Amino acid sequence: MRRRRVSGRGRLGTGLTPAAGAAVMSTGILSTATESAGLTVLSWLLLALAVAGGLVLGTHLVVRWATDRAGWLADAATPASLTGVAATTVIGGRVTAAGWTGPAWLLLAVAALLWVVLLPRVLRHRQVPTVGGSFLVCVATQGLAVLSATLAGAAGSRPALSAGVAAFLLGLVLYAGVLARFDWRQLAVGAGDQWVAAGALAITSLAGAHLVLAADRLGTPGRVVGPLRALDLAVWGLTLGGYAVLLACELRWPRRHYDVRRWATVFPLGMTAAAGFAVAEAERLPALARVGQVLLWPALAAWVLTAAGAAAALLRRGPAAPG
């Protein structure tokens, strides 16, 4: 097959695959987790990096659409394209926590639009058996649930709360559908994205916690909040179980070489820590916040190692040759 020549402008995407959005997701959720842990300066630094990364990726998408429409559409059919949705919602959640609800509503609208465009395309081209990245259909959907719930609590919006509950329930259905077709060999051979199986549970738990908090602030009857609390606790338990299984598999089958999909490992680690803080607040169980504190440090270490690997890979690649 004759390889299509890519122009210099089109080569802006070199090294910026859709999976690179996981780097923005990881950095954004660690900003949220460090803010919950009281590491304010580090949290703001990570937020700045996440926003900068999001702007770079957003610019890349626009340029790619203009210069390589066929490639853009091909990438849009992969689950990795949904990292853009998740990254936008994660940044939106952190922005909401900072009190900037106006920009957060805009980010929610952008994320929802991307989700509406991308999710049907991804589902039509779904891979069977599924792999770790396939769980991004759940992650993106639960990202909308998290941001909707966070804004519902901050702005007192019942429609946002209802939308969050709908996204939360749909995310659970999508998770079950992917899990039913999951290739369990990925636990041994996955390049890092196998961790999204646990990350999807973690963001589901985070969504449930924020829905509970928003429902409490809006005075939702206990008969509605009670089952939601129970479901959130159950998902949190599954999250910790999935984390333990994947960690054991990582120790049994170590994968020491850098791969861009390692950002899909960092994200679940950070998301589990962030969920620990949120579940502790929602369920009024302060002891769970200690779990978040403990899990935050491995997540930060993984971020540093993965960022170093990405920088080394970029240096080895060097500047792109002229088209």
Side-chain angles (χ1 to χ4, degrees):
M1 179 183 297
R2 185 171 179 264
R3 186 181 297 273
R4 183 170 52 87
R5 190 172 182 269
V6 181
S7 69
R9 284 202 308 160
R11 204 177 280 120
L12 174 65
T14 301
L16 283 178
T17 64
V24 180
M25 293 162 55
S26 303
T27 307
I29 198 58
L30 280 173
S31 175
T32 296
T34 50
E35 190 269 338
S36 297
L39 303 173
T40 306
V41 174
L42 180 57
S43 175
W44 281 107
L45 175 60
L46 289 168
L47 177 60
L49 289 173
V51 170
L55 290 173
V56 169
L57 288 172
T59 301
H60 162 64
L61 287 175
V62 173
V63 173
R64 185 89 185 280
W65 172 261
T67 60
D68 183 18
R69 189 75 54 86
W72 192 99
L73 291 171
D75 282 347
T78 67
S81 67
L82 292 168
T83 58
V85 178
T88 303
T89 61
V90 165
I91 292 173
R94 179 64 184 90
V95 165
T96 304
W100 301 333
T101 54
W105 282 111
L106 177 61
L107 289 171
L108 177 59
V110 170
L113 178 60
L114 285 172
W115 181 83
V116 167
V117 170
L118 294 173
L119 184 66
R121 188 173 180 83
V122 171
L123 292 177
R124 283 198 305 270
H125 295 86
R126 62 187 179 276
Q127 175 184 355
V128 179
T130 58
V131 296
S134 304
F135 287 99
L136 284 165
V137 297
C138 171
V139 171
T141 305
Q142 295 295 5
L144 292 175
V146 171
L147 185 50
S148 295
T150 305
L151 282 167
S157 172
R158 290 189 181 277
L161 178 61
S162 298
V165 171
F168 175 73
L169 295 176
L170 177 58
L172 285 171
V173 172
L174 290 170
Y175 187 92
V178 174
L179 185 65
R181 298 169 177 82
F182 184 59
D183 178 6
W184 294 98
R185 292 174 299 175
Q186 291 296 309
L187 299 183
V189 303
D193 63 309
Q194 71 277 9
W195 277 88
V196 185
L201 286 172
I203 196 172
T204 299
S205 182
L206 182 69
H210 280 292
L211 287 169
V212 168
L213 289 169
D216 282 344
R217 288 168 189 157
L218 290 170
T220 306
R223 66 179 180 276
V224 176
V225 180
L228 188 57
R229 286 186 189 278
L231 181 57
D232 189 39
L233 272 177
V235 174
W236 172 242
L238 291 173
T239 299
L240 292 180
Y243 187 109
V245 168
L246 283 159
L247 178 59
C249 291
E250 198 73 53
L251 295 174
R252 172 63 180 82
W253 297 287
R255 282 140 278 193
R256 298 184 178 90
H257 299 293
Y258 170 76
D259 187 292
V260 70
R261 285 168 289 184
R262 269 305 182 192
W263 286 113
T265 300
V266 180
F267 175 72
L269 297 177
M271 181 57 73
T272 305
F277 291 114
V279 173
E281 182 182 0
E283 303 291 347
R284 304 184 183 95
L285 296 171
L288 291 184
R290 299 192 192 99
V291 176
Q293 290 275 5
V294 169
L295 295 181
L296 176 60
W297 299 106
L300 287 170
W303 188 94
V304 170
L305 290 172
T306 305
L314 185 62
L315 289 173
R316 285 195 301 270
R317 185 183 307 119

